[in-house]
Amino acid sequence: MAGFDYATAATPILKEVYLPQMQELLNNATPLLKMLEKEVVPVEGGNFVISVHRGRNVASAIARAEDATLPTAGNQGYVRALVPVKQLYSRIRVSGKVIAATRSNKGSFVRAIESEMKGSMTDTKRELNRQVNGDGTGALAYWTAADDTPVGLTLDDNLGNPVNSSYIGASTVTVDVVDASDHTTTLGTNLTLTRGADAATSTAFTGTGTVSGTADGDYAVYAGTARQEMMGIQGIISDANPLTLTGGLHGLAVASYPDWKAKVMGSDSTRQDLTFDLMQQLLSKIVSESAVDEREIKLWHCHPSLADTYLKLCRDERIFTNTMKLDGGWETISYNGRPIATDVQCRRNALFAITPSSMAIFQMAPLDWVDQDGSVFYRISGGDVDAYGATAFVYQDLGCKVRNQNGVILGLNDIWV
C-alpha cells in the first residue's frame, strides 16, 4: 500500500498556484511603423495630393553670339502624385458569459473586454507594420511550384527562405490565392492554411479548400484583402511600378517619370555579399541623383538576419562596431553614424537606406473604435445573441513625397540558414 501518497491521495486536495501575470509569447515590436508615424499628415476629401517639382527651366545660362536671337523661354516642371486612402478594420467579439466570468481577479488573469480591446490594438499595429514593410500586394506566403492540392503545400517568402512566422505563425489563417502574373486573378478563395515545419528554404503547410491553376510565385493574402492593403517600402523603394499599380506609384509611372524611382543596386535574381563599399555607394548614388543631403538619410532598415550579416562583416574586417540608442530606448548597431534598424517583418536579403522626411502616413481618420452612435460596443445580431462586439478602424496609406531620396541593395546573402 502506498498510503497517503502525492500522486493519488493528495492530488484532489492540492491547490494550483498560478503566476500573478499573463506571460507574453508574441513579438509585438513595430519599428518601421513607429518611425513612419513621426510624420502623420491629416487630410480630408478624396485622394491625398502631393505636388512634386521635377523639371528645370532649360532656358538657363544658354550661350549666344553677340546680337544673336535669344533662347526660347523655358519653365519649371511640376507633377501631382495622388495617394489613395485605404480602409482598415479590426473587430472583436465577447460573449456575455465570458464577460461575467472574467470581471475580477478571482475568476481570471485578465478582464475579457480589456484584454480583447488592448490586444486588438496591439495586433492592429503589428499588421500595419507588416503592411508598411510590404509591397502593396499583402502577400503572406508564396507557392514554390504549380500545386493545386492545399492538403500539403510547400511555400516560401519568394526569396528562397522559410515563410516569415510573423506573417503566418502557429495559428490557422484563412486566405485567398492571387495569380502573380497579373495580381488581379484569384485562383482560390477561403483556403485555410496551417503552418508546419520549416526547411532550409521553405515551410510546409497543410490546408483545406479548392485552388486551381497555381504556379511558382502565386501568393496567399488574407481572405478578401487582395489589392486593399496599404503601400509599403518594398513598393516605394524600388525602380519599378508597384506590382498592383500599373499606373505607377501615386500615379507616376517610371516609364514616363524615370527620375521619380528610387535607387536600386543589385537584383534578387543574383546574390552578392554585403560590403562596406556597396553601402557607401548606395548613399552616394542617392545623394548624387536627388535633392537629399547624406545627413538626411537617417537610417538603414533590414531583417535581423542581415544585421547579423553586417556584424560578421565587421568582425571579418576587424572593424569596431558602434551602437546607437533609438527612440524608445532601443539600442542598435550603426554604420557611418546611421542606425541599422532591424524589423522581423522586413523582407530578407535586402538593405534599405531610408530618408524618413521623404515619406509620411497620410491619414483621413486615426486608429480608433467606431462609436458614431455613442457606444463602442454593440449587441451581436441586434440582441438575439448573448454577445457583444466592437470595431476599430483607420483610414490611411503610406505616401512618398520624394521617391528618389531612398534606396535599397537587393540580392544580399545573409548568414542565417
PDB file of all heavy atoms in Angstrom, residues 141-156 163 168 175 177 191-197 199 202-211 214-215 218-220:
ATOM      1  N   ALA A 141       2.633  34.471 -48.107  1.00  0.00           N
ATOM      2  CA  ALA A 141       3.473  33.326 -48.454  1.00  0.00           C
ATOM      3  C   ALA A 141       3.296  33.051 -49.939  1.00  0.00           C
ATOM      4  O   ALA A 141       2.268  33.392 -50.533  1.00  0.00           O
ATOM      5  CB  ALA A 141       3.081  32.102 -47.631  1.00  0.00           C
ATOM      6  N   TYR A 142       4.297  32.402 -50.540  1.00  0.00           N
ATOM      7  CA  TYR A 142       4.321  32.202 -51.988  1.00  0.00           C
ATOM      8  C   TYR A 142       4.409  30.717 -52.340  1.00  0.00           C
ATOM      9  O   TYR A 142       5.113  29.946 -51.670  1.00  0.00           O
ATOM     10  CB  TYR A 142       5.527  32.920 -52.605  1.00  0.00           C
ATOM     11  CG  TYR A 142       5.479  34.417 -52.514  1.00  0.00           C
ATOM     12  CD1 TYR A 142       5.842  35.074 -51.341  1.00  0.00           C
ATOM     13  CD2 TYR A 142       5.084  35.188 -53.600  1.00  0.00           C
ATOM     14  CE1 TYR A 142       5.799  36.460 -51.241  1.00  0.00           C
ATOM     15  CE2 TYR A 142       5.038  36.573 -53.520  1.00  0.00           C
ATOM     16  CZ  TYR A 142       5.405  37.202 -52.333  1.00  0.00           C
ATOM     17  OH  TYR A 142       5.362  38.570 -52.248  1.00  0.00           O
ATOM     18  N   TRP A 143       3.699  30.347 -53.395  1.00  0.00           N
ATOM     19  CA  TRP A 143       3.822  28.995 -53.932  1.00  0.00           C
ATOM     20  C   TRP A 143       5.229  28.822 -54.494  1.00  0.00           C
ATOM     21  O   TRP A 143       5.799  29.751 -55.062  1.00  0.00           O
ATOM     22  CB  TRP A 143       2.786  28.783 -55.029  1.00  0.00           C
ATOM     23  CG  TRP A 143       1.525  28.112 -54.582  1.00  0.00           C
ATOM     24  CD1 TRP A 143       1.029  26.925 -55.042  1.00  0.00           C
ATOM     25  CD2 TRP A 143       0.580  28.564 -53.614  1.00  0.00           C
ATOM     26  NE1 TRP A 143      -0.144  26.618 -54.406  1.00  0.00           N
ATOM     27  CE2 TRP A 143      -0.446  27.608 -53.525  1.00  0.00           C
ATOM     28  CE3 TRP A 143       0.504  29.686 -52.790  1.00  0.00           C
ATOM     29  CZ2 TRP A 143      -1.528  27.728 -52.663  1.00  0.00           C
ATOM     30  CZ3 TRP A 143      -0.569  29.821 -51.923  1.00  0.00           C
ATOM     31  CH2 TRP A 143      -1.563  28.870 -51.857  1.00  0.00           C
ATOM     32  N   THR A 144       5.772  27.632 -54.350  1.00  0.00           N
ATOM     33  CA  THR A 144       7.099  27.331 -54.888  1.00  0.00           C
ATOM     34  C   THR A 144       7.032  26.505 -56.162  1.00  0.00           C
ATOM     35  O   THR A 144       8.055  26.274 -56.815  1.00  0.00           O
ATOM     36  CB  THR A 144       7.949  26.578 -53.850  1.00  0.00           C
ATOM     37  OG1 THR A 144       7.259  25.370 -53.470  1.00  0.00           O
ATOM     38  CG2 THR A 144       8.174  27.440 -52.609  1.00  0.00           C
ATOM     39  N   ALA A 145       5.828  26.045 -56.508  1.00  0.00           N
ATOM     40  CA  ALA A 145       5.626  25.268 -57.729  1.00  0.00           C
ATOM     41  C   ALA A 145       4.132  25.226 -58.017  1.00  0.00           C
ATOM     42  O   ALA A 145       3.318  25.650 -57.195  1.00  0.00           O
ATOM     43  CB  ALA A 145       6.176  23.849 -57.570  1.00  0.00           C
ATOM     44  N   ALA A 146       3.769  24.705 -59.197  1.00  0.00           N
ATOM     45  CA  ALA A 146       2.357  24.513 -59.505  1.00  0.00           C
ATOM     46  C   ALA A 146       1.804  23.431 -58.583  1.00  0.00           C
ATOM     47  O   ALA A 146       2.207  22.273 -58.656  1.00  0.00           O
ATOM     48  CB  ALA A 146       2.191  24.104 -60.973  1.00  0.00           C
ATOM     49  N   ASP A 147       0.902  23.807 -57.687  1.00  0.00           N
ATOM     50  CA  ASP A 147       0.394  22.861 -56.691  1.00  0.00           C
ATOM     51  C   ASP A 147      -1.031  23.250 -56.320  1.00  0.00           C
ATOM     52  O   ASP A 147      -1.257  24.251 -55.647  1.00  0.00           O
ATOM     53  CB  ASP A 147       1.286  22.867 -55.449  1.00  0.00           C
ATOM     54  CG  ASP A 147       0.977  21.702 -54.504  1.00  0.00           C
ATOM     55  OD1 ASP A 147      -0.098  21.075 -54.677  1.00  0.00           O
ATOM     56  OD2 ASP A 147       1.790  21.428 -53.619  1.00  0.00           O
ATOM     57  N   ASP A 148      -1.995  22.459 -56.785  1.00  0.00           N
ATOM     58  CA  ASP A 148      -3.400  22.736 -56.519  1.00  0.00           C
ATOM     59  C   ASP A 148      -3.968  21.844 -55.419  1.00  0.00           C
ATOM     60  O   ASP A 148      -5.173  21.672 -55.307  1.00  0.00           O
ATOM     61  CB  ASP A 148      -4.226  22.546 -57.797  1.00  0.00           C
ATOM     62  CG  ASP A 148      -3.863  23.549 -58.879  1.00  0.00           C
ATOM     63  OD1 ASP A 148      -3.317  24.608 -58.522  1.00  0.00           O
ATOM     64  OD2 ASP A 148      -4.120  23.283 -60.054  1.00  0.00           O
ATOM     65  N   THR A 149      -3.104  21.265 -54.591  1.00  0.00           N
ATOM     66  CA  THR A 149      -3.560  20.378 -53.520  1.00  0.00           C
ATOM     67  C   THR A 149      -3.177  20.986 -52.174  1.00  0.00           C
ATOM     68  O   THR A 149      -2.111  20.695 -51.631  1.00  0.00           O
ATOM     69  CB  THR A 149      -2.929  18.991 -53.656  1.00  0.00           C
ATOM     70  OG1 THR A 149      -1.498  19.121 -53.694  1.00  0.00           O
ATOM     71  CG2 THR A 149      -3.385  18.327 -54.943  1.00  0.00           C
ATOM     72  N   PRO A 150      -4.021  21.859 -51.625  1.00  0.00           N
ATOM     73  CA  PRO A 150      -3.651  22.559 -50.385  1.00  0.00           C
ATOM     74  C   PRO A 150      -3.510  21.661 -49.162  1.00  0.00           C
ATOM     75  O   PRO A 150      -3.128  22.128 -48.099  1.00  0.00           O
ATOM     76  CB  PRO A 150      -4.813  23.555 -50.201  1.00  0.00           C
ATOM     77  CG  PRO A 150      -5.943  22.984 -50.982  1.00  0.00           C
ATOM     78  CD  PRO A 150      -5.344  22.272 -52.126  1.00  0.00           C
ATOM     79  N   VAL A 151      -3.832  20.354 -49.315  1.00  0.00           N
ATOM     80  CA  VAL A 151      -3.637  19.446 -48.181  1.00  0.00           C
ATOM     81  C   VAL A 151      -2.170  19.432 -47.765  1.00  0.00           C
ATOM     82  O   VAL A 151      -1.831  19.384 -46.582  1.00  0.00           O
ATOM     83  CB  VAL A 151      -4.122  18.022 -48.541  1.00  0.00           C
ATOM     84  CG1 VAL A 151      -3.762  17.047 -47.422  1.00  0.00           C
ATOM     85  CG2 VAL A 151      -5.624  18.034 -48.768  1.00  0.00           C
ATOM     86  N   GLY A 152      -1.271  19.482 -48.725  1.00  0.00           N
ATOM     87  CA  GLY A 152       0.159  19.525 -48.421  1.00  0.00           C
ATOM     88  C   GLY A 152       0.861  20.495 -49.347  1.00  0.00           C
ATOM     89  O   GLY A 152       0.990  20.226 -50.547  1.00  0.00           O
ATOM     90  N   LEU A 153       1.303  21.616 -48.826  1.00  0.00           N
ATOM     91  CA  LEU A 153       1.907  22.664 -49.645  1.00  0.00           C
ATOM     92  C   LEU A 153       3.319  22.965 -49.173  1.00  0.00           C
ATOM     93  O   LEU A 153       3.634  22.841 -47.982  1.00  0.00           O
ATOM     94  CB  LEU A 153       1.082  23.949 -49.565  1.00  0.00           C
ATOM     95  CG  LEU A 153      -0.281  23.975 -50.257  1.00  0.00           C
ATOM     96  CD1 LEU A 153      -1.036  25.238 -49.857  1.00  0.00           C
ATOM     97  CD2 LEU A 153      -0.114  23.918 -51.771  1.00  0.00           C
ATOM     98  N   THR A 154       4.148  23.413 -50.107  1.00  0.00           N
ATOM     99  CA  THR A 154       5.471  23.921 -49.781  1.00  0.00           C
ATOM    100  C   THR A 154       5.517  25.375 -50.225  1.00  0.00           C
ATOM    101  O   THR A 154       5.472  25.672 -51.419  1.00  0.00           O
ATOM    102  CB  THR A 154       6.568  23.115 -50.497  1.00  0.00           C
ATOM    103  OG1 THR A 154       6.481  21.741 -50.100  1.00  0.00           O
ATOM    104  CG2 THR A 154       7.938  23.660 -50.147  1.00  0.00           C
ATOM    105  N   LEU A 155       5.570  26.296 -49.249  1.00  0.00           N
ATOM    106  CA  LEU A 155       5.542  27.729 -49.527  1.00  0.00           C
ATOM    107  C   LEU A 155       6.823  28.376 -49.022  1.00  0.00           C
ATOM    108  O   LEU A 155       7.496  27.847 -48.132  1.00  0.00           O
ATOM    109  CB  LEU A 155       4.328  28.380 -48.855  1.00  0.00           C
ATOM    110  CG  LEU A 155       2.956  27.750 -49.118  1.00  0.00           C
ATOM    111  CD1 LEU A 155       1.874  28.522 -48.374  1.00  0.00           C
ATOM    112  CD2 LEU A 155       2.654  27.696 -50.604  1.00  0.00           C
ATOM    113  N   ASP A 156       7.160  29.549 -49.582  1.00  0.00           N
ATOM    114  CA  ASP A 156       8.322  30.294 -49.100  1.00  0.00           C
ATOM    115  C   ASP A 156       8.020  31.777 -49.134  1.00  0.00           C
ATOM    116  O   ASP A 156       6.868  32.197 -49.287  1.00  0.00           O
ATOM    117  CB  ASP A 156       9.577  29.945 -49.909  1.00  0.00           C
ATOM    118  CG  ASP A 156       9.543  30.463 -51.352  1.00  0.00           C
ATOM    119  OD1 ASP A 156       8.532  31.100 -51.747  1.00  0.00           O
ATOM    120  OD2 ASP A 156      10.515  30.253 -52.091  1.00  0.00           O
ATOM    121  N   VAL A 163       8.755  30.812 -44.791  1.00  0.00           N
ATOM    122  CA  VAL A 163       7.740  31.857 -44.656  1.00  0.00           C
ATOM    123  C   VAL A 163       7.945  32.594 -43.335  1.00  0.00           C
ATOM    124  O   VAL A 163       8.187  31.981 -42.288  1.00  0.00           O
ATOM    125  CB  VAL A 163       6.331  31.240 -44.704  1.00  0.00           C
ATOM    126  CG1 VAL A 163       5.270  32.279 -44.381  1.00  0.00           C
ATOM    127  CG2 VAL A 163       6.078  30.624 -46.075  1.00  0.00           C
ATOM    128  N   ILE A 168       2.551  34.368 -41.163  1.00  0.00           N
ATOM    129  CA  ILE A 168       1.717  33.213 -40.836  1.00  0.00           C
ATOM    130  C   ILE A 168       2.455  32.431 -39.762  1.00  0.00           C
ATOM    131  O   ILE A 168       3.491  31.820 -40.025  1.00  0.00           O
ATOM    132  CB  ILE A 168       1.456  32.316 -42.059  1.00  0.00           C
ATOM    133  CG1 ILE A 168       0.782  33.094 -43.189  1.00  0.00           C
ATOM    134  CG2 ILE A 168       0.580  31.134 -41.653  1.00  0.00           C
ATOM    135  CD1 ILE A 168       0.501  32.266 -44.424  1.00  0.00           C
ATOM    136  N   VAL A 175      -7.178  32.338 -46.261  1.00  0.00           N
ATOM    137  CA  VAL A 175      -6.533  33.147 -47.289  1.00  0.00           C
ATOM    138  C   VAL A 175      -7.214  32.978 -48.638  1.00  0.00           C
ATOM    139  O   VAL A 175      -7.963  32.021 -48.871  1.00  0.00           O
ATOM    140  CB  VAL A 175      -5.039  32.762 -47.431  1.00  0.00           C
ATOM    141  CG1 VAL A 175      -4.302  32.922 -46.117  1.00  0.00           C
ATOM    142  CG2 VAL A 175      -4.890  31.332 -47.967  1.00  0.00           C
ATOM    143  N   VAL A 177      -5.894  33.054 -52.831  1.00  0.00           N
ATOM    144  CA  VAL A 177      -4.661  32.866 -53.607  1.00  0.00           C
ATOM    145  C   VAL A 177      -4.733  33.743 -54.855  1.00  0.00           C
ATOM    146  O   VAL A 177      -5.704  33.688 -55.615  1.00  0.00           O
ATOM    147  CB  VAL A 177      -4.464  31.392 -54.003  1.00  0.00           C
ATOM    148  CG1 VAL A 177      -3.153  31.222 -54.774  1.00  0.00           C
ATOM    149  CG2 VAL A 177      -4.461  30.503 -52.772  1.00  0.00           C
ATOM    150  N   LEU A 191      -9.240  29.557 -48.462  1.00  0.00           N
ATOM    151  CA  LEU A 191      -8.433  28.395 -48.094  1.00  0.00           C
ATOM    152  C   LEU A 191      -7.963  28.555 -46.652  1.00  0.00           C
ATOM    153  O   LEU A 191      -7.654  29.668 -46.211  1.00  0.00           O
ATOM    154  CB  LEU A 191      -7.204  28.269 -48.995  1.00  0.00           C
ATOM    155  CG  LEU A 191      -7.372  27.570 -50.341  1.00  0.00           C
ATOM    156  CD1 LEU A 191      -8.107  28.448 -51.315  1.00  0.00           C
ATOM    157  CD2 LEU A 191      -6.005  27.170 -50.891  1.00  0.00           C
ATOM    158  N   THR A 192      -7.889  27.480 -45.921  1.00  0.00           N
ATOM    159  CA  THR A 192      -7.288  27.523 -44.588  1.00  0.00           C
ATOM    160  C   THR A 192      -5.875  26.960 -44.679  1.00  0.00           C
ATOM    161  O   THR A 192      -5.648  25.926 -45.314  1.00  0.00           O
ATOM    162  CB  THR A 192      -8.098  26.710 -43.577  1.00  0.00           C
ATOM    163  OG1 THR A 192      -8.104  25.325 -43.957  1.00  0.00           O
ATOM    164  CG2 THR A 192      -9.525  27.231 -43.483  1.00  0.00           C
ATOM    165  N   LEU A 193      -4.928  27.653 -44.083  1.00  0.00           N
ATOM    166  CA  LEU A 193      -3.540  27.211 -44.072  1.00  0.00           C
ATOM    167  C   LEU A 193      -3.066  27.076 -42.630  1.00  0.00           C
ATOM    168  O   LEU A 193      -3.261  27.988 -41.820  1.00  0.00           O
ATOM    169  CB  LEU A 193      -2.645  28.214 -44.805  1.00  0.00           C
ATOM    170  CG  LEU A 193      -2.828  28.360 -46.317  1.00  0.00           C
ATOM    171  CD1 LEU A 193      -1.857  29.403 -46.850  1.00  0.00           C
ATOM    172  CD2 LEU A 193      -2.609  27.021 -47.022  1.00  0.00           C
ATOM    173  N   THR A 194      -2.449  25.951 -42.331  1.00  0.00           N
ATOM    174  CA  THR A 194      -1.883  25.699 -41.008  1.00  0.00           C
ATOM    175  C   THR A 194      -0.402  25.426 -41.169  1.00  0.00           C
ATOM    176  O   THR A 194      -0.011  24.548 -41.953  1.00  0.00           O
ATOM    177  CB  THR A 194      -2.570  24.512 -40.319  1.00  0.00           C
ATOM    178  OG1 THR A 194      -3.972  24.771 -40.216  1.00  0.00           O
ATOM    179  CG2 THR A 194      -1.993  24.297 -38.926  1.00  0.00           C
ATOM    180  N   ARG A 195       0.407  26.160 -40.447  1.00  0.00           N
ATOM    181  CA  ARG A 195       1.863  26.075 -40.598  1.00  0.00           C
ATOM    182  C   ARG A 195       2.393  24.745 -40.074  1.00  0.00           C
ATOM    183  O   ARG A 195       1.972  24.240 -39.035  1.00  0.00           O
ATOM    184  CB  ARG A 195       2.522  27.232 -39.846  1.00  0.00           C
ATOM    185  CG  ARG A 195       4.011  27.403 -40.155  1.00  0.00           C
ATOM    186  CD  ARG A 195       4.639  28.497 -39.308  1.00  0.00           C
ATOM    187  NE  ARG A 195       6.026  28.729 -39.691  1.00  0.00           N
ATOM    188  CZ  ARG A 195       6.441  29.725 -40.449  1.00  0.00           C
ATOM    189  NH1 ARG A 195       5.563  30.614 -40.885  1.00  0.00           N
ATOM    190  NH2 ARG A 195       7.712  29.870 -40.771  1.00  0.00           N
ATOM    191  N   GLY A 196       3.355  24.207 -40.825  1.00  0.00           N
ATOM    192  CA  GLY A 196       4.070  23.019 -40.405  1.00  0.00           C
ATOM    193  C   GLY A 196       5.526  23.346 -40.107  1.00  0.00           C
ATOM    194  O   GLY A 196       5.841  24.428 -39.611  1.00  0.00           O
ATOM    195  N   ALA A 197       6.402  22.441 -40.466  1.00  0.00           N
ATOM    196  CA  ALA A 197       7.820  22.596 -40.142  1.00  0.00           C
ATOM    197  C   ALA A 197       8.542  23.439 -41.191  1.00  0.00           C
ATOM    198  O   ALA A 197       8.201  23.431 -42.371  1.00  0.00           O
ATOM    199  CB  ALA A 197       8.482  21.230 -40.042  1.00  0.00           C
ATOM    200  N   ALA A 199      11.820  24.152 -43.433  1.00  0.00           N
ATOM    201  CA  ALA A 199      13.019  23.569 -44.031  1.00  0.00           C
ATOM    202  C   ALA A 199      14.009  24.697 -44.258  1.00  0.00           C
ATOM    203  O   ALA A 199      13.771  25.839 -43.871  1.00  0.00           O
ATOM    204  CB  ALA A 199      12.668  22.850 -45.322  1.00  0.00           C
ATOM    205  N   SER A 202      12.120  26.733 -47.269  1.00  0.00           N
ATOM    206  CA  SER A 202      10.670  26.813 -47.404  1.00  0.00           C
ATOM    207  C   SER A 202       9.998  26.347 -46.121  1.00  0.00           C
ATOM    208  O   SER A 202      10.664  25.946 -45.166  1.00  0.00           O
ATOM    209  CB  SER A 202      10.191  25.955 -48.591  1.00  0.00           C
ATOM    210  OG  SER A 202      10.540  24.591 -48.360  1.00  0.00           O
ATOM    211  N   THR A 203       8.657  26.399 -46.134  1.00  0.00           N
ATOM    212  CA  THR A 203       7.865  25.970 -44.988  1.00  0.00           C
ATOM    213  C   THR A 203       6.739  25.078 -45.478  1.00  0.00           C
ATOM    214  O   THR A 203       6.103  25.366 -46.496  1.00  0.00           O
ATOM    215  CB  THR A 203       7.262  27.180 -44.254  1.00  0.00           C
ATOM    216  OG1 THR A 203       8.314  28.049 -43.828  1.00  0.00           O
ATOM    217  CG2 THR A 203       6.455  26.749 -43.042  1.00  0.00           C
ATOM    218  N   ALA A 204       6.480  24.003 -44.750  1.00  0.00           N
ATOM    219  CA  ALA A 204       5.389  23.094 -45.091  1.00  0.00           C
ATOM    220  C   ALA A 204       4.083  23.607 -44.496  1.00  0.00           C
ATOM    221  O   ALA A 204       4.057  24.120 -43.377  1.00  0.00           O
ATOM    222  CB  ALA A 204       5.690  21.692 -44.567  1.00  0.00           C
ATOM    223  N   PHE A 205       3.000  23.494 -45.258  1.00  0.00           N
ATOM    224  CA  PHE A 205       1.675  23.883 -44.795  1.00  0.00           C
ATOM    225  C   PHE A 205       0.669  22.782 -45.125  1.00  0.00           C
ATOM    226  O   PHE A 205       0.826  22.052 -46.106  1.00  0.00           O
ATOM    227  CB  PHE A 205       1.212  25.180 -45.476  1.00  0.00           C
ATOM    228  CG  PHE A 205       1.819  26.426 -44.911  1.00  0.00           C
ATOM    229  CD1 PHE A 205       3.044  26.881 -45.369  1.00  0.00           C
ATOM    230  CD2 PHE A 205       1.174  27.145 -43.917  1.00  0.00           C
ATOM    231  CE1 PHE A 205       3.609  28.028 -44.849  1.00  0.00           C
ATOM    232  CE2 PHE A 205       1.730  28.292 -43.395  1.00  0.00           C
ATOM    233  CZ  PHE A 205       2.956  28.737 -43.861  1.00  0.00           C
ATOM    234  N   THR A 206      -0.342  22.662 -44.296  1.00  0.00           N
ATOM    235  CA  THR A 206      -1.498  21.846 -44.615  1.00  0.00           C
ATOM    236  C   THR A 206      -2.707  22.753 -44.660  1.00  0.00           C
ATOM    237  O   THR A 206      -2.727  23.810 -44.016  1.00  0.00           O
ATOM    238  CB  THR A 206      -1.719  20.746 -43.573  1.00  0.00           C
ATOM    239  OG1 THR A 206      -1.870  21.339 -42.274  1.00  0.00           O
ATOM    240  CG2 THR A 206      -0.548  19.778 -43.553  1.00  0.00           C
ATOM    241  N   GLY A 207      -3.719  22.362 -45.421  1.00  0.00           N
ATOM    242  CA  GLY A 207      -4.873  23.226 -45.527  1.00  0.00           C
ATOM    243  C   GLY A 207      -6.066  22.534 -46.122  1.00  0.00           C
ATOM    244  O   GLY A 207      -6.022  21.352 -46.481  1.00  0.00           O
ATOM    245  N   THR A 208      -7.144  23.275 -46.198  1.00  0.00           N
ATOM    246  CA  THR A 208      -8.364  22.788 -46.827  1.00  0.00           C
ATOM    247  C   THR A 208      -8.874  23.857 -47.777  1.00  0.00           C
ATOM    248  O   THR A 208      -8.621  25.046 -47.591  1.00  0.00           O
ATOM    249  CB  THR A 208      -9.448  22.489 -45.776  1.00  0.00           C
ATOM    250  OG1 THR A 208      -9.755  23.696 -45.060  1.00  0.00           O
ATOM    251  CG2 THR A 208      -8.976  21.423 -44.791  1.00  0.00           C
ATOM    252  N   GLY A 209      -9.613  23.427 -48.795  1.00  0.00           N
ATOM    253  CA  GLY A 209     -10.159  24.363 -49.757  1.00  0.00           C
ATOM    254  C   GLY A 209      -9.824  23.954 -51.169  1.00  0.00           C
ATOM    255  O   GLY A 209      -9.173  22.930 -51.411  1.00  0.00           O
ATOM    256  N   THR A 210     -10.270  24.757 -52.112  1.00  0.00           N
ATOM    257  CA  THR A 210     -10.079  24.458 -53.532  1.00  0.00           C
ATOM    258  C   THR A 210      -9.291  25.571 -54.199  1.00  0.00           C
ATOM    259  O   THR A 210      -9.595  26.756 -54.029  1.00  0.00           O
ATOM    260  CB  THR A 210     -11.430  24.304 -54.247  1.00  0.00           C
ATOM    261  OG1 THR A 210     -12.181  23.273 -53.605  1.00  0.00           O
ATOM    262  CG2 THR A 210     -11.237  23.944 -55.708  1.00  0.00           C
ATOM    263  N   VAL A 211      -8.276  25.186 -54.958  1.00  0.00           N
ATOM    264  CA  VAL A 211      -7.461  26.142 -55.695  1.00  0.00           C
ATOM    265  C   VAL A 211      -7.100  25.507 -57.029  1.00  0.00           C
ATOM    266  O   VAL A 211      -6.942  24.281 -57.126  1.00  0.00           O
ATOM    267  CB  VAL A 211      -6.191  26.521 -54.886  1.00  0.00           C
ATOM    268  CG1 VAL A 211      -5.319  25.319 -54.642  1.00  0.00           C
ATOM    269  CG2 VAL A 211      -5.412  27.617 -55.581  1.00  0.00           C
ATOM    270  N   THR A 214      -2.476  27.158 -60.086  1.00  0.00           N
ATOM    271  CA  THR A 214      -1.368  27.812 -59.379  1.00  0.00           C
ATOM    272  C   THR A 214      -0.043  27.569 -60.107  1.00  0.00           C
ATOM    273  O   THR A 214       0.124  26.605 -60.846  1.00  0.00           O
ATOM    274  CB  THR A 214      -1.251  27.291 -57.939  1.00  0.00           C
ATOM    275  OG1 THR A 214      -1.109  25.871 -57.951  1.00  0.00           O
ATOM    276  CG2 THR A 214      -2.471  27.679 -57.132  1.00  0.00           C
ATOM    277  N   ALA A 215       0.900  28.474 -59.833  1.00  0.00           N
ATOM    278  CA  ALA A 215       2.247  28.358 -60.393  1.00  0.00           C
ATOM    279  C   ALA A 215       3.227  28.963 -59.399  1.00  0.00           C
ATOM    280  O   ALA A 215       2.833  29.614 -58.421  1.00  0.00           O
ATOM    281  CB  ALA A 215       2.334  29.082 -61.728  1.00  0.00           C
ATOM    282  N   ASP A 218       2.829  32.500 -57.260  1.00  0.00           N
ATOM    283  CA  ASP A 218       1.491  32.900 -56.810  1.00  0.00           C
ATOM    284  C   ASP A 218       1.497  32.993 -55.291  1.00  0.00           C
ATOM    285  O   ASP A 218       2.283  32.315 -54.615  1.00  0.00           O
ATOM    286  CB  ASP A 218       0.452  31.885 -57.274  1.00  0.00           C
ATOM    287  CG  ASP A 218       0.313  31.844 -58.792  1.00  0.00           C
ATOM    288  OD1 ASP A 218       0.638  32.858 -59.434  1.00  0.00           O
ATOM    289  OD2 ASP A 218      -0.105  30.800 -59.333  1.00  0.00           O
ATOM    290  N   TYR A 219       0.615  33.804 -54.732  1.00  0.00           N
ATOM    291  CA  TYR A 219       0.755  34.087 -53.310  1.00  0.00           C
ATOM    292  C   TYR A 219      -0.575  34.133 -52.569  1.00  0.00           C
ATOM    293  O   TYR A 219      -1.638  34.346 -53.163  1.00  0.00           O
ATOM    294  CB  TYR A 219       1.513  35.396 -53.086  1.00  0.00           C
ATOM    295  CG  TYR A 219       0.954  36.593 -53.824  1.00  0.00           C
ATOM    296  CD1 TYR A 219      -0.014  37.411 -53.238  1.00  0.00           C
ATOM    297  CD2 TYR A 219       1.403  36.924 -55.099  1.00  0.00           C
ATOM    298  CE1 TYR A 219      -0.514  38.525 -53.908  1.00  0.00           C
ATOM    299  CE2 TYR A 219       0.903  38.027 -55.776  1.00  0.00           C
ATOM    300  CZ  TYR A 219      -0.054  38.820 -55.173  1.00  0.00           C
ATOM    301  OH  TYR A 219      -0.555  39.928 -55.833  1.00  0.00           O
ATOM    302  N   ALA A 220      -0.487  33.912 -51.266  1.00  0.00           N
ATOM    303  CA  ALA A 220      -1.650  33.920 -50.384  1.00  0.00           C
ATOM    304  C   ALA A 220      -1.774  35.275 -49.708  1.00  0.00           C
ATOM    305  O   ALA A 220      -0.778  35.860 -49.272  1.00  0.00           O
ATOM    306  CB  ALA A 220      -1.512  32.823 -49.327  1.00  0.00           C
TER     307      ALA A 220
END
